[in-house]
Amino acid sequence: MLRRQDVGHRVVVRRIVGSRGGRTLFSDSLGELVALSETDLTIATSDGTVRVPLDEVHRAKRVPPTRRPTAADVVAAEIAANEAWPAPVQETQGGWLLRAAGGWTGRANSALPIGDPDRPLPAAIDAVEVWYRAHGLPPRMNVPLPLAAPVNAELDLRGWTTNPLTLFQTAQVAAILESAPDRHDLPAVRVRDRMTDEWLAVAAARKGTPPAVARHVLTAVPEIAFLEVYGEDGAPIGVTRATVTGGGEWLGVALVDVVPEHRRRGLGSHLVRAAARWGQEIGARRAFLQVEEHNAAAVALYNRLGFTTHHTYLTRTAPS
């Protein structure tokens, strides 16, 4: 049977799904173990997340990993992502990053455990809890898997809650540009080096007007672009934000959004390819984005553009 130290590793689970003619029927799931509780386990498979009650598990074991990025590559990607979404308050705890942005977005208000915290793991997590409570925020961590699987297991023991699994996806910039020909029936993409009120209105439509601190997170990157497409009435109907970080290596794509009445026209992929062209001109070779695993439409869009999952992470929050 699986144990907490198996979280973050590739596993196979044989599940009892019924019986027929006196024979037990089974179903197998292969993927990354992302959660294990006293009642069930959760696996991230190529077809989506699967939750299996423990009383239905016939057999489960860890299996050898598929080819995966090195720990150094995961750390480099996570640092590039942090640079692309900069919290105004950042401190280090050994190799860990502590970030605060007044509570606006989980990424900017969570610890990132990607190195040695310079103290035993329980003491490191204690210190994270103290730091966030001192900043008036709930203690939160973004836990890359399987890199930080021991951290994840310790948080399980402490009863930290878990948000839906997030996929950290990457692609070669050249592959994005080759994923489909440019469509001349779509409006031209306007690329700006500053955020306009019109851009922000589209990006904020689903979550409401962001607080003042959001402007720092959204704009405080040296190499940045805000992309827009406009409708026939001159109003923006789609936006995205692009950054180049990680020493010029990484193009970051975030906040891809199209107003509801203009969706399913290919505007999302149109914007991402425009971001890739901008990034390529600056010298970026690799691209990344972060998307929740259960957002099937967005995952499918990014797969068509050449993105695949580099690694995953869980956002964990301490009990109140």
Side-chain angles (χ1 to χ4, degrees):
M1 189 58 187
L2 299 172
R3 297 171 294 175
R4 291 189 184 277
Q5 51 263 50
D6 295 314
V7 172
H9 293 273
R10 192 164 177 253
V11 299
V12 62
V13 175
R14 173 155 290 188
R15 177 183 189 176
I16 300 170
V17 294
S19 62
R20 180 183 301 156
R23 296 178 57 192
T24 303
L25 301 178
F26 301 100
S27 175
D28 291 341
S29 296
L30 175 67
E32 183 176 292
L33 182 66
V34 296
L36 178 62
S37 71
E38 294 180 356
T39 59
D40 53 39
L41 57 83
T42 304
I43 314 167
T45 75
S46 59
D47 297 321
T49 300
V50 177
R51 179 170 283 110
V52 182
L54 294 184
D55 58 10
E56 295 180 6
V57 175
H58 174 68
R59 185 177 301 159
K61 64 179 181 179
R62 192 191 295 191
V63 296
T66 57
R67 184 179 179 185
R68 62 174 64 204
T70 64
D73 197 37
V74 172
V75 169
E78 287 285 353
I79 289 174
N82 178 67
E83 293 171 352
W85 200 256
V89 178
Q90 295 198 42
E91 294 182 16
T92 58
Q93 180 177 292
W96 291 13
L97 288 173
L98 309 181
R99 308 171 291 189
W104 189 73
T105 78
R107 275 180 284 168
N109 293 275
S110 59
L112 182 61
I114 55 172
D116 184 350
D118 287 345
R119 65 198 76 185
L121 180 56
I125 296 173
D126 289 343
V128 167
E129 293 185 358
V130 169
W131 192 89
Y132 277 95
R133 297 196 196 283
H135 285 78
L137 296 167
R140 183 174 288 124
M141 301 184 79
N142 274 6
V143 184
L145 295 172
L147 178 71
V151 177
N152 200 52
E154 178 67 20
L155 299 181
D156 280 342
L157 294 174
R158 293 173 180 237
W160 286 42
T161 59
T162 306
N163 281 18
L165 183 73
T166 299
L167 310 180
F168 192 111
Q169 297 205 307
T170 63
Q172 295 295 318
V173 170
I176 298 171
L177 296 174
E178 295 168 0
S179 61
D182 286 330
R183 287 177 49 187
H184 300 293
D185 60 319
L186 295 177
V189 178
R190 182 175 297 177
V191 182
R192 303 179 187 268
D193 61 4
R194 63 183 181 87
M195 183 175 67
T196 65
D197 291 340
E198 292 79 12
W199 184 96
L200 185 59
V202 176
R206 285 187 293 174
K207 297 183 179 180
T209 303
V213 69
R215 187 168 291 273
H216 176 95
V217 177
L218 291 171
T219 64
V221 182
E223 297 287 357
I224 194 166
F226 297 89
L227 295 88
E228 306 162 321
V229 290
Y230 288 79
E232 294 180 357
D233 61 357
I237 58 175
V239 300
T240 195
R241 171 183 175 273
T243 55
V244 172
T245 58
E249 171 80 4
W250 287 96
L251 166 71
V253 179
L255 299 172
V256 180
D257 210 344
V258 176
V259 299
E261 57 268 32
H262 291 278
R263 291 174 185 165
R264 303 186 184 280
R265 293 175 49 196
L267 290 173
S269 56
H270 187 49
L271 283 160
V272 175
R273 280 193 289 271
R277 281 192 294 274
W278 172 82
Q280 189 179 59
E281 290 172 0
I282 294 175
R285 297 188 304 110
R286 303 172 72 184
F288 74 86
L289 52 82
Q290 293 149 303
V291 57
E292 288 191 351
E293 187 272 341
H294 64 70
N295 188 347
V299 172
L301 165 65
Y302 301 139
N303 286 346
R304 290 194 296 271
L305 289 165
F307 283 89
T308 58
T309 298
H310 184 268
H311 63 278
T312 62
Y313 70 81
L314 290 171
T315 300
R316 310 293 307 267
T317 305
S320 57

